[in-house]
Amino acid sequence: MAVSDKALFSIVFLFTAFVSSISASESQSQINVWPKPRTFSWPSPQASLLSPNFSITSPNHQHLSSAVARYLRLILTEHHHPLVTPTVNITGPPLETLTIIVSDLAAPLHHGVDESYTLIVPRGGAANLTAATVWGAMRGLETFSQIVWGDPLRVATGLFVWDSPLFGHRGVMLDTSRNYYGVEDILRTIGAMSANKLNVFHWHITDSHSFPLLLPSEPDLAGKGSYGPQMQYSPEDVKKIVEFGLEHGVRVLPEIDSPGHTGSWAEAYPEIVTCANMFWWPAEAEWADRLASEPGTGHLNPLNPKTYQVFKNVIHDVAALFPEPFYHSGADEIIPGCWKADPTIQTFLSNGGTLSQLLEIFINSTFPYIVSLNRTVVYWEDVLLDANVKVDPSMLPPENTILQTWNNGPNNTKKVVASGYRAIVSSSDFYYLDCGHGDFLGNDSQYDQKAGSNTENGGSWCGPFKTWQTIYNYDITYGLSDEEAKLVLGGEVALWSEQADPTVLDARIWPRASAMAEALWSGNQDKTGMKRYADAMDRLNEWRYRMVARGIGAEPIQPLWCIRNPGMCNTVHPFV
Amino acid sequence: MAVSDKALFSIVFLFTAFVSSISASESQSQINVWPKPRTFSWPSPQASLLSPNFSITSPNHQHLSSAVARYLRLILTEHHHPLVTPTVNITGPPLETLTIIVSDLAAPLHHGVDESYTLIVPRGGAANLTAATVWGAMRGLETFSQIVWGDPLRVATGLFVWDSPLFGHRGVMLDTSRNYYGVEDILRTIGAMSANKLNVFHWHITDSHSFPLLLPSEPDLAGKGSYGPQMQYSPEDVKKIVEFGLEHGVRVLPEIDSPGHTGSWAEAYPEIVTCANMFWWPAEAEWADRLASEPGTGHLNPLNPKTYQVFKNVIHDVAALFPEPFYHSGADEIIPGCWKADPTIQTFLSNGGTLSQLLEIFINSTFPYIVSLNRTVVYWEDVLLDANVKVDPSMLPPENTILQTWNNGPNNTKKVVASGYRAIVSSSDFYYLDCGHGDFLGNDSQYDQKAGSNTENGGSWCGPFKTWQTIYNYDITYGLSDEEAKLVLGGEVALWSEQADPTVLDARIWPRASAMAEALWSGNQDKTGMKRYADAMDRLNEWRYRMVARGIGAEPIQPLWCIRNPGMCNTVHPFV
């Protein structure tokens, strides 16, 4: 740490001590930053103009410099008009400069990297943004952009922010297989994530429905398995997306789901996929004998050596395209009927083999290779917790394995961390963004309901729709011991695309992902331990309007009237 | 009827007799028209090219001619690519002409106008579209546009369509008070309605939150009560919208909600509004003692003569702006606490008056005036069915009164028609498009749910989200006798705007309003009386893609994979 840094940190320390005495009584601020910083002190709200010559000085760094240029443009052009204008005095000279200091320019954007920052905007003189890493500096730049408003531009002064996320993994999962999204859609989503201080774009690239990723070693997978030449991601597209992520402090974590959810692979390699292109639920068959969890059949065949040849080419290319040290290999929803449809597997089973042994063969033949590419492997929880088809935990060393939970609310997260694994939480009861807009199956007699009744829950398996309140209030470490809680890396909201495509992308993700973003960044409780729903609605509403102005089509959560009449849309009744 | 018409009708009659023998065995067509016509016969599917010089000849009529020009442009430029390409032979000469014949050019676009049409596209020779009215001709033009596809353009031939709606009133209600929509948003919605053969745009213009309608006689209502100068509808805007409606065969039915839902009137006239700008649910108060059904208080004061002076100016202007013979006067959700907050009303009540008498005073002072302007008055059901505040039915003669039902599923519709009134059905259990995306109230302790549980239904009072299946399957005459059913004019899906604005307008309305459009046009059952869910999904999916291509941001209902693989996303199991 350089001397100047030390001096600054002393100032910060003193300032912190000063404000800590008043921050407990802090009420709703007139300036809202989303997600709410851990410490946001603006004890006597004042502002100054932002100089037309305002500049940001920062260390030279490929990605930070790009972010600085972007934020400077945003800050000078956004002219945000708060829906309720802050009543603050404009005093002191215009703010001319924001100076960024970063202690460690080399820290890569990996899980657990220090994202903390300190932002001081004094009354007079330059503003300072101090961070351990460039990624923390990007978070601080976002915060700074949110304390500037109006025309002419004003900036809050006499303000101190110390900030750092509660959880290191804060993600959005997007499924680009069931429906295709253009590169611009993905970039816009990553940009919006960055504005919400989310840091992992979990890209569920492939599934049974289409294989849109064009891989140099296996071009036929997309060539034959995508929805068409206009609905593929080229290596150049991926490079653009990864680079865009780095400029926004967002990791791009690829998932190639396997061995289930691989029907699309059969277009190029029918011989390595069992039950491909079959009707998913044969007439008269029991649910247990279906071939897939939903329409779109196909599992990789663990007994065919060709499977691993193709698989390794795929992983090799993906590892080359994505620098991210986590690699998601899926392994969810192995459906017995699909493997049982294959003659070689039938022989294997009739000779005493089991379905779980088949999965173990697959994992044994792929996991070490992925690890050899210096990747930590993320699997869906099913690989260990599925009722029928699962591997022995001894095959998956916790140091190389992370499990993403999605079933049974908090219960499966508890099981995963109690077994010593790290967990990423995507509970379908709370974090699945696609739920509640009906079922996508055709010809379903369940649709024929009595006209006098409507008891369905939104018509999808995971209905109802998860409201922002549901998401905001979820505690991803619920029921865990302190030690267990440390194994929860964070969470991800997930948008599966049975009923989503670019038409509804923004509105389906935002502002609900913003709700998770705050809960995982600074929590969903105030200093007294009370849930923050009391003020989160107003702040989220304001933030939603700001996102819309920034080009993100977030859905509205209140009438405009509510934000024009602060407090009037609250609920105050005897039961509060 | 002219001789040429007679000759054509003979042809139609013979053609009908010919196809009736085969239509029962008709299976899913390769060309889908939404809503499905009553009779669509294409016994041996063939097509011809559409001539590059294709033209439409039609009688000269202000609105029909505009529609013809629009459809000609659409037909020649749309180049719809069916997601599954029809496998039909292209035979015969290119189609050069569609000839439109209308028997009664003068019939105005009123409720119950004949919308039937017959469309014949022979193998060789001109196509013919015959309709009783220009409005029926517009429906037929829409159908014709949907049987043209590809590049070069192809048109289905050897095709006969006879079509006519089951219900005359098929509407979409949009609330432009809680959030504002631009004129372009409204025009786009009316255009999309026309493509779905919907014919009533019920414009819930004003409410407590804003009064966006600029009226020449009462300019202060919008001047002070709108969200701002950029969020008003000028008389020119209204004229544009009404005219656009006429060109699309869509009536524009205005609603000025009163005497409740009038808080916004208080900005200009505080003296005529009780309980305005008060907190809607006072602390410690019981639910019964709240002041409004939701945040945003204010009821017109029936005891203040000034109320009627303003009200009559409003109605006078609205009647001048909107030629539509129906006028919607609201009258829903009178909340006792709001009237009780007023001193003059307190005196009235303490002298033995009742709240229902107050409402009767209001209705008696306004209903005859509205009727005197040659309007049929539509009220929400509450005016007769509210548990606490309602008028005596003798005050509302059925010949001048229509009731729009929204509570209690089919039960209130039954009550309304059993009393001899005509009904428009907007059951909130089935037809409310805004439900299920959470609650908009702030500071609500109900949001603080146990992390381990998620039992809510989508978080809004009318949750869950109404899926297209829920809407499609609803039978608006459920439980009625044949005589009672005749009093059901039709139905309306409704988009209240607590949590909707232009950002989500298209996706919230479409394709769910399309589901109602078909159910009210040709029903939700096939010829055998079976619900049509078996094929409706595939057809609606196709139609959704076509709407998106036409610029309507309808939400997806299935992965693209499903439409690429017909039948594969169906459910076939023992319980079907």
Side-chain angles (χ1 to χ4, degrees), chain B residues 138-269:
Chain B
M138 289 185 193
R139 307 291 169 239
L141 279 165
E142 177 58 42
T143 295
F144 185 83
S145 79
Q146 294 186 30
I147 63 165
V148 176
W149 76 95
D151 193 0
L153 291 167
R154 297 153 178 92
V155 57
T157 58
L159 177 144
F160 169 85
V161 179
W162 175 82
D163 214 2
S164 182
L166 293 173
F167 292 92
H169 190 108
R170 306 177 308 280
V172 172
M173 193 220 76
L174 181 66
D175 160 20
T176 62
S177 170
R178 287 173 176 80
N179 280 315
Y180 178 82
Y181 298 80
V183 173
E184 287 306 317
D185 296 315
I186 292 176
L187 299 185
R188 189 175 68 258
T189 300
I190 290 174
M193 288 176 62
S194 176
N196 284 278
K197 298 189 173 74
L198 293 167
N199 65 354
V200 182
F201 178 68
H202 169 180
W203 188 359
H204 183 89
I205 311 178
T206 67
D207 209 296
S208 277
H209 306 85
S210 75
F211 194 109
L213 184 63
L214 187 58
L215 294 171
S217 307
E218 294 289 354
D220 281 358
L221 286 171
K224 298 179 176 174
S226 74
Y227 279 138
Q230 303 308 314
M231 292 194 265
Q232 296 175 1
Y233 305 106
S234 70
E236 293 69 37
D237 291 336
V238 172
K239 194 175 167 197
K240 190 174 182 181
I241 289 166
V242 168
E243 189 66 16
F244 192 89
L246 287 167
E247 292 168 353
H248 288 77
V250 176
R251 299 153 53 198
V252 180
L253 196 172
E255 177 184 357
I256 306 293
D257 204 349
S258 62
H261 293 281
T262 50
S264 59
W265 302 44
E267 301 304 314
Y269 296 107

Side-chain angles (χ1 to χ4, degrees), chain A residues 450-454, chain B residues 409-410 427-432 466 470-471 474 493:
Chain A
K450 285 272 183 299
S453 70
N454 175 14
Chain B
S427 168
S428 54
D429 289 344
F430 298 89
Y431 279 180
Y432 271 26
K466 311 309 169 198
T470 298
I471 293 169
Y474 188 50
V493 285

Side-chain angles (χ1 to χ4, degrees), chain A residues 22 42 82 189 219 261 337 357 376 493 556 566:
Chain A
I22 57 123
W42 196 30
T189 300
H261 292 282
Q357 284 170 352
T376 299
V493 285

Side-chain angles (χ1 to χ4, degrees), chain A residues 429 447 454 456 470 473 508, chain B residues 429 447 454 456 470 473 555:
Chain A
D429 289 343
Y447 301 154
N454 175 14
E456 49 144 345
T470 298
N473 280 300
R508 208 63 97 237
Chain B
D429 289 344
Y447 301 155
N454 176 14
E456 49 145 345
T470 298
N473 282 299
E555 74 172 8

